[in-house]
Every structure is written in C-alpha cells, then in structure tokens.
Amino acid sequence: MTSIVNSLAVPSTYRDQLYQGSSNQFVDDLTATATLYVGNLSFYTTEEQIYELFSKCGEIKRIIMGLDRNQKTPCGFCFVEYYHRTDALDCMKYVNGTKLDERVIRCDLDPGFKEGRQFGRGKSGGQVRDEYRTEFDPGRGGWGHRMRLQLEREREQKLKETYEPIKEIPSGAEQYKNRIQDISGSRKRERDSEDDPERKRLKEQNPRFRENDEDEDDE
C-alpha cells in the first residue's frame, strides 16, 4: 500500500564530491550504512553533548568530530557511527531537525567515514559554508571568513582616512625625550667600560679580581 507520508529516514540528494566509487556503489553504501553526517553544529558543542543526544536512538560505535584543518578545533560538523543501521534510521526520524545548543541540527545518512573527512575543506581551514556566510553567527565563530576579511579591510581603510599624524610636540615631551637619551647614553658607557681592554687585562692577571667580579654577577 502506498503511503501519503514521506519517510523521514530517506537520505538527501547530496553526494560527497570526494567519494571515489561509482553511482551504484554510492547507492549500495547508503543502503547498508549505519553512519550519519551531522551538520549545523555550534563550534562549542562537545562530543559528550552529541553522545548524550544521539545515544537515545541506539548504541554508538564512535563519534568523529569535524575539525578545522589548520587550527584542529571543532568547526561545526561530525560523524556518528552506530552498530546497527536501524538505530541510524531512527536517528534520522527522531533527532534530525531537533535543537542542540540552541541550533537546529541536520542529520543525513552517510556512505561511511574515511580518514581525512574529519577536516574542513574551506580555504581558511573550516567548512566551505563558513567561507561565504554573510550573517553574524556567534555559534560558528561570528562572521564568515570572507566577511571578516572584508570588514578588516574596511577598518584599515577607515583608520588610514581618519588618522592624523602629530604635527606639534606636546609640552614637556621634549624633556622626557632628552631624559631617555641620557639614560641610554649612560647604559652604553657602562657597557663600553665592561669591554675596556684594561679591565680585561686585570681579570686575566689577578684571579682575585676575576673571582670577586663573578661573585658580584651571581648576586
């Protein structure tokens, strides 16, 4: 009998561009997989929080946190592997679209985790979606990468336009400058005296002189 209600356990049409198998193999992997891709996570969501929520649908084999490729910090996604496919399907039905850390998370069946997929693929090291994001999202690091660069350029340009170099020396500043120069000159003379040939000769000829000098340094 045909159902008028669409199943909530159906995977999306998304296909990982780095998947190396054929289209038929991709379909076969999705048919047998017990792995979920979880997206739209906060950068501050922990593995313990994910485990607490997703373990309600079944026993979890492992959780692989998505990491920024450069910083090795969480960047908003993860993989959840169950021992049984039925648990992954239940998770699609009951957890997908719910809130975690005040964010609506997205679950999708995944053909299976392979080493290297835990790292973001964006140019800045995070997820590609955060490269082009134009809205401010405090849970995902604030502005998107390109937006941050644009705002930084605008800030630097504004500083250049509004910056005015000092044309007149404030009163009293000249005396302070002369005092700094006097202190610097005095220290330079002290260093020069330590390198004086006569002082070196005395150290070599008189062991007591050298011994006392070293004691002073130790103090």
Side-chain angles (χ1 to χ4, degrees), residues 143-161:
W143 297 107
H145 178 66
R146 292 194 175 187
M147 194 66 181
R148 287 200 302 272
L149 292 179
Q150 179 181 338
L151 292 173
E152 183 64 22
R153 286 194 294 266
E154 291 177 355
R155 187 182 73 85
E156 291 179 355
Q157 183 63 31
K158 186 175 181 180
L159 285 175
K160 290 180 180 180
E161 293 175 354

Side-chain angles (χ1 to χ4, degrees), residues 24-51:
N24 291 336
Q25 183 63 46
F26 182 76
V27 173
D28 291 342
D29 288 345
L30 286 183
T31 304
T33 187
T35 302
L36 293 174
Y37 171 90
V38 184
N40 201 38
L41 293 172
S42 167
F43 288 0
Y44 307 102
T45 298
T46 64
E47 184 174 335
E48 289 76 14
Q49 290 175 284
I50 296 170
Y51 184 88

